[in-house]
Amino acid sequence: MQTAKELANDYRKITVDPIAGALGAEISGVDLNNLDDAAVAEIRRALLENNVVFFRDQEFTPATQMAFGQQFGDLNRHSYVKGLDEYPDVFRIVKEPTDAHHFGNTWHTDLAYEEEPAMATILYGMDIPDAGGDTMFTSLYAAYDALSDGMKRMLGELNIVYTNGNTYGKDAKRFKTGVAKDMDVAQAPEVKEVVHPLIRTHPETGRKALYLSTTHYSRLDGMTEAESKPLLEQLCAHAVKPEFTCRFKWGAGSVAFWDNRCTMHYAVNDFPNARRIMQRVTLQGDKPI
Ligand code: OGA
Ligand code: MN
């Protein structure tokens, strides 16, 4: 098997520098508003190999961020978070100095509560605190690979129930602060459940991942919440071992592009008196199998 460093040297259009052992790489030498087909193909390969890639000093408008995303797939329009008036497929994640709640402040993978969750997310840093507000990522491939054969076999039989209710139901915190603070609780959607395999096979790499989204799950399919809780909590604790993670410190103009099919992420809420503004485009994914 090639080492990460050898793979990293195998690109012509971009430079790829892994930032941790399990996942994550910084890509340099490209302007994301000006890519040819070969550069797009290399970025896609770097994403598949590193699961999350980061770029610095980019300049996205809503339109150019959409155009960047469309080179990799179809855009997803969020079911519950309102987009920009003129660009409904783009939304901003704004945390004001006075906000307590921070969007994404628990380990999750985007849109796990949808039948067809997000393939990838492209997040652009617009206004970044001097310190704090990092995003952490964990590899669900690494989490799967580290399980015993017996555990892999057992989990391979299980399905997990996800719900939109935890984050968008009428009791969700985000109606008080956070991205939905302008939304009326009366607009809270009907709670809807979907069932996904607990172990999913990545459609492009063929690798297996422990498909967890701690924010969004309800229970194991066919079991009660009480019965599911000990195993799911144990798996969640396992999945975020420091060895499986990386952490990105944002600057204005940074871009993170992550694969939601094999990672979780966590927005660190450690900047109580600062503003943070991010702009997001999401790529549509397939039904997990
Ligand atoms: C997201 C998210 C994390 C962050 O955009 O899906 O979880 O650090 N954001 O803002
Ligand atoms: Mn997220």
Side-chain angles (χ1 to χ4, degrees):
M1 207 174 101
Q2 282 178 296
T3 64
K5 195 80 196 161
E6 282 161 356
L7 284 168
N9 289 333
D10 188 24
Y11 293 91
R12 291 173 190 285
K13 293 281 181 171
I14 59 178
T15 302
V16 179
D17 291 304
I19 66 163
L23 82 171
E26 261 195 59
I27 297 183
S28 53
V30 275
D31 171 1
L32 298 186
N33 289 324
N34 193 6
L35 297 172
D36 60 19
D37 290 349
V40 169
E42 288 200 349
I43 292 171
R44 176 177 277 278
R45 179 155 69 84
L47 177 67
L48 293 175
E49 284 171 2
N50 296 283
N51 320 148
V52 51
V53 292
F54 307 103
F55 305 85
R56 295 205 179 267
D57 303 318
Q58 302 294 322
E59 271 184 47
F60 274 153
T61 62
T64 65
Q65 190 173 350
M66 287 170 61
F68 171 73
Q70 281 163 332
Q71 295 172 98
F72 297 90
D74 294 333
L75 303 189
N76 164 278
R77 186 166 304 171
H78 203 284
S79 299
Y80 312 116
V81 177
K82 194 175 162 319
L84 302 179
D85 286 340
E86 293 192 23
Y87 301 97
D89 296 337
V90 180
F91 68 86
R92 297 226 170 108
I93 296 166
V94 178
K95 183 169 181 291
E96 296 292 351
T98 49
D99 287 342
H101 180 74
H102 185 29
F103 186 82
N105 180 225
T106 45
W107 284 104
H108 67 284
T109 177
D110 291 333
L111 316 187
Y113 49 81
E114 299 281 12
E115 285 288 344
E116 295 182 338
M119 171 185 109
T121 302
I122 299 159
L123 196 63
Y124 172 61
M126 299 180 68
D127 195 345
I128 302 296
D130 291 336
D134 295 357
T135 309
M136 297 184 68
F137 297 85
T138 198
S139 166
L140 298 176
Y141 290 143
Y144 175 79
D145 290 344
L147 296 169
S148 65
D149 289 344
M151 197 66 169
K152 285 178 182 157
R153 238 186 341 266
M154 183 179 92
L155 301 184
E157 303 285 307
L158 299 178
N159 291 307
I160 179 165
V161 181
Y162 287 110
T163 171
N164 60 354
N166 297 354
T167 37
Y168 298 102
K170 62 180 172 30
D171 298 326
K173 280 204 295 276
R174 72 183 54 236
F175 286 111
K176 302 183 180 73
T177 63
V179 288
K181 64 181 172 236
D182 301 331
M183 243 165 108
D184 189 331
V185 178
Q187 290 170 261
E190 281 294 298
V191 172
K192 185 185 77 170
E193 292 185 336
V194 304
V195 180
H196 294 312
L198 182 55
I199 306 299
R200 76 178 286 188
T201 303
H202 193 289
E204 293 182 80
T205 65
R207 291 184 67 188
K208 289 185 178 173
L210 179 58
Y211 188 56
L212 278 175
S213 187
T214 70
T215 312
H216 303 118
Y217 74 71
S218 165
R219 62 188 181 280
L220 292 164
D221 191 33
M223 299 186 200
T224 65
E225 280 182 34
E227 287 168 336
S228 312
K229 196 170 182 253
L231 177 58
L232 287 175
E233 285 184 352
Q234 184 206 323
L235 291 175
C236 288
H238 164 76
V240 301
K241 272 177 75 172
E243 287 77 3
F244 307 152
T245 70
C246 72
R247 179 170 180 141
F248 184 62
K249 177 168 172 50
W250 294 88
S254 299
V255 174
F257 184 3
W258 63 85
D259 186 337
N260 283 296
R261 301 167 293 187
C262 55
T263 60
M264 286 197 284
H265 55 282
Y266 180 107
V268 181
N269 188 6
D270 61 349
F271 54 108
N273 299 310
R275 172 174 289 121
R276 181 177 184 270
I277 304 179
M278 315 298 278
Q279 181 165 279
R280 169 169 145 178
V281 161
T282 312
L283 301 184
Q284 182 60 46
D286 307 325
K287 193 170 165 52
I289 49 168

